[in-house]
Amino acid sequence: MATQKSKTRTRKLPLKQRYSLLTRDLDWEPSYVERDELFPYTSYEGIKIHDWNGWEDPFRLTVDAYYKYQAEKDKRLYAVLDGFAQGQGHLSLSDASYLNALKIFIQGVTPLEYAAHRHFAFLARYLEGPAPRFASLCQSVDELRHCQTQIHTISNYNKYYGGFHSWTTQKDRVWYLSVPKSFFDDAMTAGPFEFLIAISFSFEYLLTNLLFVPFMSGASFNGDLPTMSFGFSAQSDESRHMTLGLEAIKFLLEQDEGNVPIIQEWIDKWFWRAYRVAALVAAMMDYMLPREVTSWKEAFELYFEDQMLGGLFPDLEFYGITPPKHVDLAISEKEHLSHQAYKILHNFSFAAAFTTQTPTAEKMEWLSSAYPESFDEYYRPTWEKHARIEADGGRSFVEGLPQLCQVCQIPMAFTEPDDPTRLSLRHSEYQGETFHTCSDGCQWIFEREPEKYIQAWLPVHQIYQGNCGGPSVPEVLEWYGLQEGDNGEYKGSPDARAWAEWHGEPATAQAKES
Amino acid sequence: MTVKALYEYDYPSADRAELYGDDQLVYVYWRGNLLFSSAGCFRVPRAVTFADFQEQFVDGWAASDPDFDAGAVGGWQLFDEPITPDPHKTLEQLGVGHKALLSFSA
């Protein structure tokens, strides 16, 4: 009887009140320990919070509503996965080479979802206010769900194609995967407030559309219904995460004027860190999608220049926040970023868990129209040279290991803003040792905290120290967990041959066409 | 500016010279050749002569471009400074230290 009554009463409570009971009202003041002991991490970064209750809850969601909503989304996603698997949906992709984009996704992005899950769980324990703790808890569960749904979605391709089988090992070992990994490790080893600005604001708010929309639109344009579905399934979570990012920064800025310069430096740093990770996405968008969606440049202009610089930053000006340092450098790179990043992948895909290929004549036409200021003048001649080498039966990889940036860990392939033929090579001295960085942005980050970045696990240097399976390339590739056909050139690869066979084309004709 | 931490924050570099014994890392960049995305990184003995360094390390890397002609290599620079390396001197004697950046044109 009593249960009956309380059930009825619960149902009548408005959402806002239920939310309040389940979150803020579950908080208490510690009496057995000092507050500093309970929350040891919230003061050493120099951020001052005067009133944790000043946090406006960006989304009032209760646990029961949250699970009900997520379960419905999961049901829809798994129905799509079943249908796709049963109908041999992989055969209706635009081309097997599309899957190289998806390999980069599961190897590079999915581990970040898991890392985010871990660190938001940490924040759910250590932030002082009940509302931000609850928001972090929800986000932590979201990130775990994203990780799981991505694994379930993408692993279906593992039955038929190379490159999908060992990503959990590869994320810790393979050279290009140290780029996203070191980015997230950098954030996780910072304090809780810097992490919020790094991940919730700079990564999830400033650049989320640039990082995720290209993969999801790319999936949709190239017949990959499952990936598109998990994209949709994650999208409503992402909008909550973006709201959290924006609420976090506004809360911190409003709490104390002294927070403003600290936050500004974190925005300066993390914009550039996240933007450098996006170089992999730029390469994927412009070179790895058989059916192109939009160019990196176009997406950068829309999602970053228009929406963020034109929309968000004028609002933040009110708090004394200015657009990120080095943003002009990012803008000046937009004609060049994807070409230079894909050149790296093409040079070194013998050591990657995906394949690359010289752009076809049609792809070059598209690149030329998308990049009228740069492609024909700077990049087409080199690709045509590669095509000539291949017409003679060769394939030019770079025999050796590249110089890496101490901060972003990408091979130092980016050029001076005023000369696209000259590499931008920066170096700094610290404790008598030389450290190289790829740009003014990464150099500034290095010199701000050299003690942190001198510890970087740079894959190339680690290979030379003998820590990666052995001194020869085959030994390193074995340590990477690469199998025959995962790496190298796409044309003539096991993926390309199987695709041709399943579609009734002789493999040679397929190779010629490419 | 230094790292803000709750404890003394002092860790050694992951690539300090002592980790490479009698060897060191050297970077080489072929200026103006866009076939190469970036400079190459080599682990080489400090006592190697410049001639041997070029022949044993640089030439093989540069030959990734089938048009490479070892005879045409010149215009060496150490960081941004033009140098004319004596082929019989060692990298150490030439002042090419750990993680130095050399570049050439060809």
Side-chain angles (χ1 to χ4, degrees), chain A residues 343 347 396 399 401 436 464, chain B residues 14 35 37 39 41 43 64 99:
Chain A
K343 195 78 206 7
N347 270 177
S396 186
E399 304 293 330
L401 306 175
H436 298 262
Y464 280 134
Chain B
L35 198 84
S37 58
C41 176
R43 176 174 173 154
S64 303
K99 296 206 268 173

Side-chain angles (χ1 to χ4, degrees), chain B residues 11-66:
Chain B
Y11 300 94
S13 150
D15 294 310
R16 56 197 186 279
E18 71 191 59
L19 296 174
Y20 296 89
D22 293 334
D23 297 344
Q24 63 178 21
L25 299 178
V26 177
Y27 306 107
V28 180
Y29 166 39
W30 183 345
R31 292 192 307 276
N33 188 343
L34 298 184
L35 198 84
F36 294 83
S37 58
S38 42
C41 176
F42 304 91
R43 176 174 173 154
V44 299
R46 279 197 295 273
V48 75
T49 63
F50 196 81
D52 286 347
F53 168 66
Q54 201 176 327
E55 200 191 307
Q56 292 166 21
F57 295 95
V58 181
D59 288 357
W61 171 80
S64 303
D65 181 349

Side-chain angles (χ1 to χ4, degrees), chain A residues 14 25 57 74 85 95 244 269 277 285 308 313 321 329 374 412 430 459 473 481 491:
Chain A
D25 287 3
D57 310 358
D74 270 11
D95 184 52
L244 173 66
K269 169 181 170 183
V277 173
M285 278 174 89
M308 295 302 148
F313 278 95
I321 291 292
L329 187 52
S374 64
M412 306 224 319
Y430 181 71
V473 171
K491 289 190 288 289

Side-chain angles (χ1 to χ4, degrees), chain A residues 58 65 83 145 154 156 236-238 267 270 279 296 299 313 340 347 363 371 391 411 422 455 464 474 476 489:
Chain A
R145 195 180 76 88
I154 299 176
N156 284 312
S236 56
D237 301 340
E238 297 301 347
I267 294 174
W270 288 99
W296 162 260
F313 278 95
Q340 296 172 355
N347 270 177
K363 178 65 95 184
Y371 293 94
R422 200 155 52 89
Q455 304 167 64
Y464 280 134
V476 173
E489 162 64 38

Side-chain angles (χ1 to χ4, degrees), chain A residues 140-432:
Chain A
S140 175
V141 181
D142 283 344
E143 305 290 4
L144 185 59
R145 195 180 76 88
H146 293 178
C147 180
Q148 285 176 332
T149 52
Q150 287 166 18
I151 294 167
H152 289 156
T153 302
I154 299 176
S155 63
N156 284 312
Y157 292 109
N158 186 37
K159 278 188 237 172
Y160 306 104
Y161 302 93
F164 289 105
H165 52 83
S166 299
W167 56 274
T168 51
T169 307
Q170 288 163 348
K171 74 179 198 329
D172 293 321
R173 298 187 174 191
V174 181
W175 59 278
Y176 58 96
L177 299 175
S178 82
V179 174
K181 181 186 159 76
S182 67
F183 164 83
F184 226 91
D185 284 357
D186 191 350
M188 289 172 84
T189 50
F193 297 118
E194 184 175 346
F195 179 87
L196 275 176
I197 298 301
I199 302 304
S200 291
F201 182 70
S202 304
F203 193 63
E204 299 234 40
Y205 197 95
L206 283 188
L207 294 169
T208 198
N209 284 332
L210 269 174
L211 288 158
F212 292 98
V213 172
F215 278 110
M216 300 318 153
S217 314
S220 138
F221 268 57
N222 289 278
D224 182 4
L225 200 63
T227 299
M228 192 185 87
S229 302
F230 87 55
F232 281 139
S233 165
Q235 208 167 37
S236 56
D237 301 340
E238 297 301 347
S239 55
R240 262 189 297 115
H241 301 173
M242 287 174 76
T243 317
L244 173 66
L246 195 59
E247 182 48 39
I249 193 169
K250 287 191 172 165
F251 170 73
L252 296 178
L253 291 169
E254 279 165 1
Q255 284 292 315
D256 197 287
E257 254 181 62
N259 293 346
V260 176
I262 303 175
I263 304 278
Q264 179 72 54
E265 282 213 2
W266 287 339
I267 294 174
D268 293 346
K269 169 181 170 183
W270 288 99
F271 159 72
W272 189 261
R273 288 289 268 130
Y275 163 73
R276 268 293 179 253
V277 173
L280 280 173
V281 182
M284 184 285 286
M285 278 174 89
D286 285 346
Y287 283 87
M288 298 173 99
L289 296 177
R291 284 189 209 125
E292 301 87 2
V293 180
T294 173
S295 68
W296 162 260
K297 183 181 125 187
E298 219 180 327
F300 184 83
E301 285 170 349
L302 173 66
Y303 295 127
F304 188 73
E305 289 186 74
D306 292 357
Q307 292 181 1
M308 295 302 148
L309 291 181
L312 171 71
F313 278 95
D315 284 351
L316 291 177
E317 217 178 86
F318 166 79
Y319 299 97
I321 291 292
T322 55
K325 213 183 189 86
H326 302 114
V327 73
D328 292 341
L329 187 52
I331 293 171
S332 79
E333 284 185 352
K334 69 185 174 189
E335 285 275 346
H336 303 282
L337 185 75
S338 65
H339 312 292
Q340 296 172 355
Y342 189 72
K343 195 78 206 7
I344 301 170
L345 303 181
H346 189 269
N347 270 177
F348 297 104
S349 65
F350 64 88
F354 57 79
T355 59
T356 56
Q357 58 183 327
T358 299
T360 61
E362 297 77 47
K363 178 65 95 184
M364 285 202 247
E365 280 313 299
W366 180 81
L367 288 165
S368 173
S369 66
Y371 293 94
E373 309 286 313
S374 64
F375 185 75
D376 287 346
E377 189 176 353
Y378 300 107
Y379 304 106
R380 184 191 280 273
T382 310
W383 290 126
E384 287 179 342
K385 181 170 175 169
H386 277 288
R388 283 197 302 277
I389 294 169
E390 287 161 32
D392 291 340
R395 165 59 157 98
S396 186
F397 291 109
V398 168
E399 304 293 330
L401 306 175
Q403 179 184 26
L404 304 180
C405 173
Q406 190 76 25
V407 172
C408 70
Q409 308 206 3
I410 299 176
M412 306 224 319
F414 304 109
T415 52
E416 295 290 359
D418 58 351
D419 183 358
T421 65
R422 200 155 52 89
L423 289 186
S424 154
L425 304 171
R426 303 285 180 270
H427 65 273
S428 313
E429 298 291 321
Y430 181 71
Q431 294 179 340

